Amino acid sequence: MFLTPLQLYAGGPVRDTLPPLTKDSTVTQGITPDTALIAAADTTIKGIFNKIVYYLKHTNDVRPRKKFDFSIIGGPYYAPETSAGIAAMFAGLYSTDRADTALPLSSISVYGTGSLSGFYGIGINSITIFPNERFRLQVKASFSSQPNKYWGIGYDQASDKDNYTKYTLVTKKISADFSACVKGRLFAGVSVIVNDGRAQQIDTSGGKPLMQPDHVFGLGVGPFLTFDSRDFIPNAYKGIYARLGYKFFPSFLGNTATFQGWNAQFDWYKRVWKNCILATDLLAESNTSNVPWTLMPEAGGSNRLRGYFEGRFRDDKFLTGQVELRQKIYGRNGAVVWFGAGNVFPEFSALSFNQTLISYGIGYRWEFKRRINIRLDYGMGKDQSGFYFGINEVF
């Protein structure tokens, strides 16, 4: 459930829209050496406000390649689940083979967030691209404490948006994906996830739905296949991303409940006219019965079905899709519009289109760094809406 609003990810070369990577010049996958900008501001600009303006004006400049290029990013953010808050992140980029200028850069980021609602979290994300792109290793780890709401399981339980239980969810997560190149842009690998969630400070008054059990431990492992032809992962202008994965949660690994499930994702990007990108995202998740409530697929949040409180709708199975039109307007400014739909349900035989959740909205984009956008979205659902503020496109 916890997602950092300032997550940066570097994973694919910019092949056709930015200057080529050379020994002396690089776009560094959308992140420029902030230290050079700060140093320039310190020596030539007077006054804190003027230094900030200078820094923001030049954040997307092309800079020379470094052995380890790092950025420090911080500022306000907003999400309906956590309210307004502050986030800060250290992000670093490096290459496992500096002689290969076409090799996608590896990245690591460490972040911390806190909000007015009492939410706080820390975490680390990293992806390592090995020489010749033969292997990829992606690792994520996080700890968070979040005041939350629980409506129960299934569409009917969550149909009344005011019938929920307040509680605090304390979560520890670790996941790792290791994959090897099969051929071209096709990769095969093994995924491992550990998710330890505990509900605390539960409001038991009023006969509202309660989460059972209040402590859930999940350790899953399984294979996956991916095909990735995107030109730039954080903000693709063209290409396809497809993933098919399967996970087992057996009893001998200490799981609260034994189950298994598969997930499939398909994203497609295409330029439709000048400075306009059509982005399409489809996702399907299916689990066997007996899935603990913290490990169920959840609708809503900042990435899919924006406008709905994340976790309000949850069940064993989840289908969703969204289409987004991204238009660059002037200079570093842009806008998006989107439409999405999704369903949560216990079995495919119980899928009802009358229970489809609709999401639509508009958003503003400002290019903080080359093809790395700060975003402000306003999403609307059937009976909820919300603003979302963060960094990077939603998919």
Side-chain angles (χ1 to χ4, degrees):
M1 181 176 295
F2 169 55
L3 296 174
T4 169
L6 289 179
Q7 179 179 346
L8 289 180
Y9 174 80
V14 182
R15 296 188 175 90
D16 68 340
T17 57
L18 297 178
L21 302 180
T22 66
K23 181 178 180 181
D24 300 318
S25 175
T26 179
V27 297
T28 62
Q29 307 295 312
I31 298 181
T32 55
D34 287 356
T35 50
L37 296 178
I38 295 171
D42 285 343
T43 57
T44 63
I45 308 297
K46 303 300 182 182
I48 295 178
F49 177 77
N50 290 332
K51 289 180 180 180
I52 293 175
V53 171
Y54 176 89
Y55 172 75
L56 293 175
K57 184 178 179 180
H58 293 279
T59 51
N60 67 337
D61 289 352
V62 176
R63 300 278 172 174
R65 178 186 289 255
K66 289 187 171 185
K67 292 182 179 180
F68 186 81
D69 176 23
F70 72 92
S71 297
I72 300 176
I73 303 171
Y77 77 92
Y78 182 86
E81 296 80 10
T82 60
S83 76
I86 296 291
M89 185 184 68
F90 165 90
L93 290 170
Y94 61 95
S95 176
T96 57
D97 184 358
R98 297 186 65 205
D100 183 0
T101 56
L103 179 70
L105 295 178
S106 300
S107 67
I108 183 170
S109 61
V110 180
Y111 58 86
T113 60
S115 76
L116 297 176
S117 68
F119 162 81
Y120 62 91
I122 57 174
I124 181 171
N125 294 331
S126 72
I127 180 167
T128 303
I129 308 295
F130 291 85
N132 300 316
E133 207 171 350
R134 293 183 59 190
F135 304 102
R136 291 183 174 186
L137 174 63
Q138 185 170 2
V139 178
K140 298 181 180 181
S142 66
F143 170 82
S144 65
S145 177
Q146 176 180 339
N148 216 322
K149 301 175 182 179
Y150 179 75
W151 280 264
I153 296 171
Y155 177 88
D156 291 334
Q157 285 281 86
S159 59
D160 182 358
K161 67 181 180 67
D162 297 319
N163 185 34
Y164 57 81
T165 299
K166 291 183 179 180
Y167 72 104
T168 297
L169 180 63
V170 179
T171 307
K172 292 169 280 187
K173 291 183 181 180
I174 301 175
S175 65
D177 289 356
F178 180 78
S179 59
C181 181
V182 177
K183 185 176 182 179
R185 311 309 302 166
L186 180 65
F187 292 81
V190 176
S191 179
V192 178
I193 182 172
V194 179
N195 187 321
D196 187 289
R198 184 183 297 273
Q200 299 178 350
Q201 302 175 17
I202 303 171
D203 179 8
T204 59
S205 63
K208 297 178 180 179
L210 293 178
M211 56 293 294
Q212 295 294 331
D214 58 6
H215 179 213
V216 175
F217 176 80
L219 197 166
V221 60
F224 68 90
L225 286 171
T226 62
F227 176 83
D228 191 354
S229 64
R230 292 171 293 179
D231 61 334
F232 186 50
I233 290 176
N235 185 7
Y237 287 175
K238 67 176 184 177
I240 290 173
Y241 174 78
R243 176 186 169 107
L244 179 63
Y246 202 87
K247 282 196 178 73
F248 305 86
F249 291 79
S251 57
F252 69 85
L253 292 180
N255 284 288
T256 299
T258 300
F259 69 98
Q260 53 191 307
W262 59 267
N263 64 82
Q265 181 178 348
F266 180 83
D267 295 344
W268 176 66
Y269 307 86
K270 181 178 176 58
R271 189 190 305 271
V272 290
W273 57 73
K274 184 178 180 180
N275 294 326
C276 182
I277 306 299
L278 176 67
T280 304
D281 171 62
L282 301 173
L283 176 73
E285 294 186 53
S286 177
N287 299 287
T288 57
S289 58
N290 203 37
V291 185
W293 62 279
T294 63
L295 301 178
M296 285 182 170
E298 299 175 339
S302 62
N303 291 334
R304 291 184 174 89
L305 296 179
R306 280 163 282 178
Y308 295 97
F309 192 99
E310 185 178 19
R312 173 183 169 185
F313 294 92
R314 69 179 79 204
D315 214 322
D316 294 338
K317 295 173 175 57
F318 181 38
L319 290 176
T320 184
Q322 58 185 327
V323 177
E324 188 166 278
L325 204 61
R326 303 169 179 172
Q327 176 70 59
K328 196 165 187 178
I329 299 175
Y330 177 76
R332 297 163 70 175
N333 301 286
V336 305
V337 294
W338 78 84
F339 177 84
N343 292 76
V344 296
F345 47 96
E347 298 292 343
F348 282 100
S349 60
L351 174 61
S352 172
F353 291 103
N354 292 330
Q355 298 179 347
T356 299
L357 304 170
I358 302 299
S359 166
Y360 56 97
I362 59 175
Y364 168 74
R365 299 292 184 269
W366 184 73
E367 190 179 51
F368 174 67
K369 299 201 174 189
R370 305 206 71 184
R371 291 179 70 173
I372 298 294
N373 291 330
I374 290 178
R375 62 185 176 96
L376 175 63
D377 291 337
Y378 180 66
M380 292 163 278
K382 178 181 179 181
D383 56 2
Q384 284 185 309
S385 63
F387 284 98
Y388 301 87
F389 180 75
I391 288 183
N392 276 342
E393 299 299 338
V394 297
F395 62 93

